[in-house]
């Protein structure tokens, strides 16, 4: 099967969906290619998104697609993009199921993906009582005893942030803390308990954490965990096209979502380290506006 559209969007999360909404309303033909395995599928609720606070990720997508379906130029393709070739105005995307989509522009909204969690028991509680962002899930764990699993330079920043939701938290570095003497002193000044023993296991019941047990025998009762995830780029396709990347796997873009490759854009978690649904959606909308503007300008100039 071969189709020609104005824009191919790879990724159907908040960024890709909002871009599709903007482009659909702008009467551009769009194919949204997404295999249906979002990173936030492990979580029960999405928070911080105005009018949708507390909604499940699956329900959020269902409503978004239902609304976008009012614009017939947008189609959703449950598939995975595996190869992309071409240049601005003439891109060709091939999927795992053998379909080919030709497009003038590309938008990568591929997000990030979690690398395997190497703490025994963390997978059992991830998305239920263990989270990565206090802005997304801190309210639900306010004033409760928590464990923060983090080391190195991120620890002090994370401790400051978590203090806005609870003052009952302990830092476990799961090995050498990698802190400077100044960082250790600052944490001590604020009476933050810290442990650098390796984590033996996280004990839980039906996804709700009960305690963190260290190899030195220390047992830390808690009702929630925040941890620093290990992430990788959601797709290697931007790199294959020549997009410049950060060491974190984030695609480098300008203020409008443009990459260094003409005709190629990126938005959402793939293009920022501010991992929130509402941020991703707003960046997707902005990229959609810019893509539409570029298409209109090119069409206008072709008649000059």
């Amino acid at each position: 099967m071969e189709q020609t559209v104005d824009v191919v969007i790879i990724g159907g999360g908040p960024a890709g969906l909002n871009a599709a909404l903007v482009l659909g309303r702008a009467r551009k033909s769009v194919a949204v290619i997404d295999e249906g395995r979002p990173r936030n599928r492990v979580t029960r609720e999405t928070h911080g998104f105005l009018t949708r606070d507390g909604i499940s990720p699956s329900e959020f997508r269902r409503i978004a697609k239902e609304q976008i379906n009012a614009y017939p130029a947008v189609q959703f393709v449950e598939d995975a993009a595996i190869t992309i070739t071409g240049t601005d105005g003439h891109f060709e995307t091939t999927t795992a199921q053998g379909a080919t989509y030709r497009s003038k522009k590309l938008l990568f909204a591929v997000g990030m993906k979690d690398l395997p969690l190497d703490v025994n028991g963390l997978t059992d509680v991830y998305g239920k009582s263990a989270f990565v962002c206090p802005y997304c899930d801190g309210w639900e764990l306010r004033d409760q005893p928590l464990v923060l699993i983090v080391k190195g330079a991120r620890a002090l920043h994370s401790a400051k942030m978590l203090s806005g939701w609870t003052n009952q938290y302990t830092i476990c570095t799961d090995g050498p803390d990698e802190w400077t003497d100044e960082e250790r002193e600052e944490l001590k000044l604020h009476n933050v308990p810290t442990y650098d023993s390796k984590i033996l296991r996280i004990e839980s019941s039906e996804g709700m954490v009960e305690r963190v047990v260290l190899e030195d025998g220390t047992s830390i009762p808690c009702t929630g965990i925040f941890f620093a995830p290990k992430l990788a780029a959601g797709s290697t396709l931007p790199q294959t096209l020549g997009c410049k990347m950060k060491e974190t796997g984030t695609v480098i873009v300008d203020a409008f979502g443009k990459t260094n490759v003409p005709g190629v854009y990126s938005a959402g978690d793939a293009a920022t380290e501010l991992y929130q649904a509402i941020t991703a959606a707003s960046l997707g909308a902005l990229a959609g506006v810019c893509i539409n503007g570029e298409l209109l300008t090119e069409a206008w100039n072709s008649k000059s």
Side-chain angles (χ1 to χ4, degrees), residues 2 29 66-67 82 110 130 148 174 224 237 262 286:
E2 294 185 1
S29 57
E66 183 180 86
Q67 294 181 345
I82 55 172
V110 294
L148 176 58
D174 191 31
L237 289 175
L286 184 61

Side-chain angles (χ1 to χ4, degrees), residues 207-227:
M208 305 310 293
V209 62
E210 295 176 343
R211 64 188 57 82
V212 176
V213 180
L214 307 183
E215 288 185 352
D216 66 4
T218 301
S219 178
I220 307 169
C222 60
T223 55
I225 290 172
F226 282 95
F227 69 98

